[in-house]
Amino acid sequence: LKITKRGAPPKGGGEVRFVCPVVRSVKPLMFTDSGRIRRIRGIAYATRVSPQTANRLVEAARGELNRFIPDIYIYTDVYKGAESGLSPGFGLSLVAESTTGALVTAELCAEPGDAPEDVGARAARLLLAEIARGGCFDSAHQWMALLLMTLAPEHVVRTRIGKLTPFTIQYLRDLRDFFNTTFKISPDAESNTVLMACLGTGFSNVGKKTI
């Protein structure tokens, strides 16, 4: 994944190049231990605004996060000229990595009139809220875990996620209608998470002859 142009609302103008391998089948997902957060990384980006804006985002975010964990590094990514899209703007993307490899993310773009300090602090609080939800996937990527479980080989697959979002609930209905796949949902009162389990459909890419 390579960002060749960084866009910002309202006109956008960003450009992303994404390349991934073609596989024959999806590996079964067995991921139930979310672990403990061990480090936080992030990118503060700014387009067509002062380069100092990105530094202000970083300082505000670190002010919120340093109280909980010392291993924090947030890169600054400033775009100018042809690589800066069509509108001025700035934002912050944060990723928390756990001891078991779970990734929890949060992202926030500036609205008109927002100060960099406010955006940085709010993005950090969003990440903390996602961590507090628990589970191996954040709320924005619950659907992806469920899709990978559905497409897995015909074995029982399991994962642990936080409280189901309205989007995820509707997505479960869609998976039932399209793949005839139903999930066993087991709430865990101790961790306030949900253990999801299903039988994979054994979906295979018939266009690829080798694994």
Side-chain angles (χ1 to χ4, degrees):
L1 179 64
K2 180 180 179 181
I3 300 174
T4 55
K5 293 182 181 180
R6 176 76 75 171
K11 295 183 179 181
E15 185 178 299
V16 176
R17 185 171 183 267
F18 175 69
V19 179
C20 70
V22 178
V23 298
R24 182 171 175 81
S25 60
V26 177
K27 294 181 179 180
L29 177 64
M30 298 292 288
F31 196 7
T32 58
D33 184 5
S34 58
R36 299 177 65 86
I37 300 300
R38 66 187 184 95
R39 66 180 182 179
I40 295 175
R41 297 292 183 265
I43 296 179
Y45 61 88
T47 65
R48 296 184 179 271
V49 295
S50 169
Q52 193 62 29
T53 301
N55 295 328
R56 293 164 64 185
L57 285 167
V58 173
E59 291 302 317
R62 290 185 66 93
E64 297 285 336
L65 299 173
N66 270 129
R67 295 179 292 171
F68 302 96
I69 186 172
D71 191 356
I72 301 172
Y73 195 91
I74 304 175
Y75 300 85
T76 57
D77 199 11
V78 179
Y79 287 78
K80 296 180 179 180
E83 296 182 347
S84 59
L86 302 176
S87 297
F90 53 90
L92 181 62
S93 299
L94 296 171
V95 180
E97 183 180 345
S98 79
T99 52
T100 58
L103 300 176
V104 180
T105 68
E107 184 173 6
L108 190 63
C109 298
E111 298 289 341
D114 284 347
E117 289 78 10
D118 295 336
V119 174
R122 290 207 310 269
R125 294 189 199 111
L126 283 175
L127 181 67
L128 294 175
E130 289 290 349
I131 295 172
R133 293 173 71 100
C136 302
F137 298 88
D138 56 66
S139 59
H141 296 92
Q142 290 178 353
W143 68 272
M144 186 177 292
L146 300 178
L147 177 60
L148 292 174
M149 293 171 68
T150 302
L151 300 178
E154 296 181 25
H155 303 291
V156 175
V157 285
R158 297 184 179 89
T159 193
R160 186 183 301 276
I161 59 179
K163 181 181 178 181
L164 300 179
T165 65
F167 179 89
T168 302
I169 294 172
Q170 180 58 47
Y171 195 74
L172 286 169
R173 298 190 183 107
D174 294 338
L175 291 175
R176 178 197 59 196
D177 295 341
F178 281 90
F179 293 96
N180 196 29
T181 298
T182 57
F183 284 76
K184 180 181 179 182
I185 303 175
S186 305
D188 185 350
E190 183 177 348
S191 62
N192 290 323
T193 58
V194 181
L195 187 64
M196 307 289 292
C198 76
L199 183 65
T201 59
F203 185 84
S204 178
N205 179 9
V206 295
K208 186 172 177 61
K209 302 302 182 183
T210 59
I211 298 178

